[in-house]
Amino acid sequence: MSDIQNVECITEGKTGVLVFKDKLTKKGPGSKNKVPFYNPTMELNRDLSILVNQWLVNNNEKTMHILDGLAASGIRGIRLANELEGDFDVTINDWSEDAYALIKKNLERCGLKNVVASNRNLNTLLSEERFHYIDVDPFGSPVYFIDSAIRGIYNNGIIACTATDTATLCGVYPKVCLRRYGVQSFHSPIMHEIGLRILLGFICREAAKYDKGIEPLVCYSTDHYFRAYIQVKNGISYANESVDNLKRINSKELFFSSKQTTEIGPLWLGKIQNKNIIEEVRTLLSGKQLNTKNILWGFLDLLEEEADASAFFYTTDDLASLLKISPPKMEYIFEKLKEKGYDASRTHFSPTGFKTNASRDEIETMFKHQK
Ligand SMILES: C[S@@+](CC[C@H](N)C(=O)[O-])C[C@H]1O[C@@H](n2cnc3c(N)ncnc32)[C@H](O)[C@@H]1O
């Protein structure tokens, strides 16, 4: 049993939570050795889950059963219990005895009524109980929990999962990706978008086994993790519609790799954001006390901007280096594309990235004629 005395209180949102004093402060995915683990760099990730859950509770008339499935200190679940308004309850689960002890201590301090601690293997719990929201926030890959989450989610419920096996999803370890996700990955300037689409494709296939379809609501990649909020819809027609979004692509189709001919996939090539829901989630920001409020505002804005854009993007620096010219300013690209009537949007995947329906030839001409 951990020394439950060796803790300090940190505050996220409007909730004080006890975490162990040796908590990590560096950026990164974290390590399995720190149990119960707390990663301060995941605050934005947790803040967004407050907003998505508030949206879920606001849009349902019955009691929403919410599960923080891999809870560690319990910070996400305790925050959800304390910071959401409306009709809901929260189960906070972790199989570690140390984590369970800390979660219970945190719950005693908070005095919240609508929340329980649980000390089970998440896969067992999800074989026996169902929830409207399931949060899967593992060390590394979420693949080991997706099958159970699909079985344990109510119709139209939301599964939120984090993946910190970024290198694998980004094509650094193709064999691992093939084993883990059943997908041929690809290391390239657009690896973060491919990685996210690998993850979504995997979840889609896991759901389809049970005649369920998926709708990605808010999905993104950051420097050290991927995160996906996915609504699950029961029924063969939803499952069929979803699998229609699974495709393989050839690297020849991607702008930077004319010589390579690798088959990539299967990838989810459907939408990765729901624009309306992003707008609604963003309006909830003003009613919440969140430390990352300003960053989240800009971030949701960016996700909304690219919500309707096609898959994959160009980057000014990679294209310029292929053409052996200096990269044009982003403003120049947007001005020219819009002048010619093309769609153009920024992308959260890269600060020098842009999405457009203009042809490669049109884009090259713009690059070559920049002033
Ligand atoms: C990355 S930590 C969770 C961090 C937490 N969600 C947060 O926001 O701070 C992953 C946790 O999953 C727990 N875990 C791993 N496998 C599990 C399983 N099969 N069932 C339940 N808990 C598990 C570990 O004990 C660990 O505390």
Side-chain angles (χ1 to χ4, degrees):
M1 174 71 74
S2 296
D3 176 10
I4 211 85
Q5 301 308 315
N6 188 27
V7 289
E8 64 179 315
C9 184
I10 57 95
T11 302
E12 282 190 11
K14 55 177 194 175
T15 311
V17 179
L18 296 177
V19 297
F20 277 86
K21 277 191 178 147
D22 59 359
K23 68 182 191 282
L24 291 181
T25 48
K26 67 178 174 56
K27 260 185 131 182
S31 118
K32 286 184 187 180
N33 305 329
K34 308 274 181 188
V35 172
F37 169 82
Y38 166 70
N39 187 346
T41 69
M42 285 290 199
E43 184 168 359
L44 180 137
N45 176 321
R46 287 184 284 268
D47 281 357
L48 185 53
S49 61
I50 300 285
L51 299 176
V52 172
N53 273 282
Q54 190 62 67
W55 177 87
L56 183 73
V57 170
N58 291 355
N59 285 280
N60 282 282
E61 275 161 19
K62 49 187 184 226
T63 310
M64 289 291 101
H65 302 304
I66 293 170
L67 174 66
D68 180 2
L70 302 170
S73 66
I75 186 163
R76 190 188 302 267
I78 293 160
R79 288 194 55 194
L80 287 165
N82 190 37
E83 296 175 36
L84 294 183
E85 283 159 22
D87 191 4
F88 68 91
D89 55 49
V90 182
T91 302
I92 305 180
N93 179 69
D94 200 292
W95 70 357
S96 142
E97 283 291 338
D98 295 338
Y100 181 59
L102 185 59
I103 293 165
K104 281 202 299 187
K105 187 161 177 98
N106 268 314
L107 292 186
E108 273 163 34
R109 285 180 75 244
C110 295
L112 294 160
K113 297 236 160 14
N114 56 347
V115 51
V116 290
S118 154
N119 186 205
R120 302 183 66 184
N121 184 326
L122 176 60
N123 288 319
T124 317
L125 172 62
L126 287 172
S127 295
E128 291 170 6
E129 287 180 43
R130 286 204 287 164
F131 299 88
H132 298 97
Y133 174 92
I134 298 170
D135 206 292
V136 180
D137 184 26
F139 293 119
S141 175
V143 292
Y144 318 103
F145 305 103
I146 299 299
D147 176 274
S148 351
I150 296 285
R151 284 185 287 109
I153 194 80
Y154 280 116
N155 189 23
N156 292 318
I158 296 175
I159 295 175
C161 76
T162 310
T164 59
D165 56 341
T166 320
T168 296
L169 285 164
C170 285
V172 179
Y173 309 114
K175 269 267 159 62
V176 180
C177 194
L178 201 55
R179 278 194 278 113
R180 200 174 279 166
Y181 293 90
V183 178
Q184 187 62 53
S185 57
F186 192 60
H187 191 65
S188 67
I190 57 165
M191 61 196 176
H192 289 102
E193 180 162 354
I194 291 179
L196 187 57
R197 290 179 184 279
I198 290 173
L199 176 63
L200 294 174
F202 176 83
I203 299 171
C204 172
R205 297 197 313 276
E206 291 288 275
K209 290 191 305 199
Y210 299 104
D211 294 339
K212 297 182 182 195
I214 64 159
E215 185 181 352
L217 303 181
V218 188
C219 303
Y220 61 94
S221 132
T222 69
D223 47 0
H224 84 274
Y225 68 91
F226 293 92
R227 178 85 170 157
Y229 292 88
I230 285 155
Q231 192 163 39
V232 179
K233 299 180 176 206
N234 293 355
I236 291 173
S237 57
Y238 287 121
N240 284 340
E241 266 172 44
S242 292
V243 293
D244 284 346
N245 287 303
L246 296 178
K247 306 235 160 56
R248 286 188 169 78
I249 57 166
N250 195 293
S251 58
K252 270 194 307 200
E253 298 164 46
L254 303 169
F255 77 90
F256 47 79
S257 56
S258 46
K259 288 190 202 113
Q260 288 172 276
T261 55
T262 307
E263 187 147 277
I264 311 163
L267 304 177
W268 171 267
L269 288 190
K271 288 198 173 172
I272 57 176
Q273 320 291 353
N274 179 316
K275 195 171 186 166
N276 294 336
I277 290 177
I278 291 179
E279 271 171 24
E280 287 175 31
V281 161
R282 199 181 39 195
T283 59
L284 295 170
L285 259 176
S286 53
K288 296 288 178 202
Q289 185 182 316
L290 302 172
N291 293 330
T292 68
K293 193 179 252 188
N294 292 342
I295 305 171
L296 261 178
W297 184 275
F299 189 58
L300 290 170
D301 214 35
L302 197 50
L303 295 186
E304 188 193 338
E305 181 175 327
E306 67 180 302
D308 291 333
S310 50
F312 309 126
F313 59 93
Y314 297 88
T315 66
T316 51
D317 34 6
D318 288 304
L319 203 46
S321 107
L322 273 179
L323 299 172
K324 300 193 176 20
I325 54 177
S326 50
K329 290 212 164 85
M330 293 298 276
E331 298 79 38
Y332 167 83
I333 297 292
F334 284 103
E335 194 188 300
K336 285 288 160 203
L337 287 170
K338 289 193 170 151
E339 212 174 84
K340 291 187 179 255
Y342 293 113
D343 296 335
S345 73
R346 296 173 297 158
T347 171
H348 82 281
F349 291 111
S350 164
T352 60
F354 63 97
K355 293 195 165 205
T356 180
N357 55 352
S359 69
R360 162 85 187 252
D361 285 350
E362 281 280 1
I363 297 167
E364 277 192 17
T365 310
M366 277 174 213
F367 268 59
K368 286 176 186 156
H369 292 102
Q370 61 177 303
K371 298 212 176 72

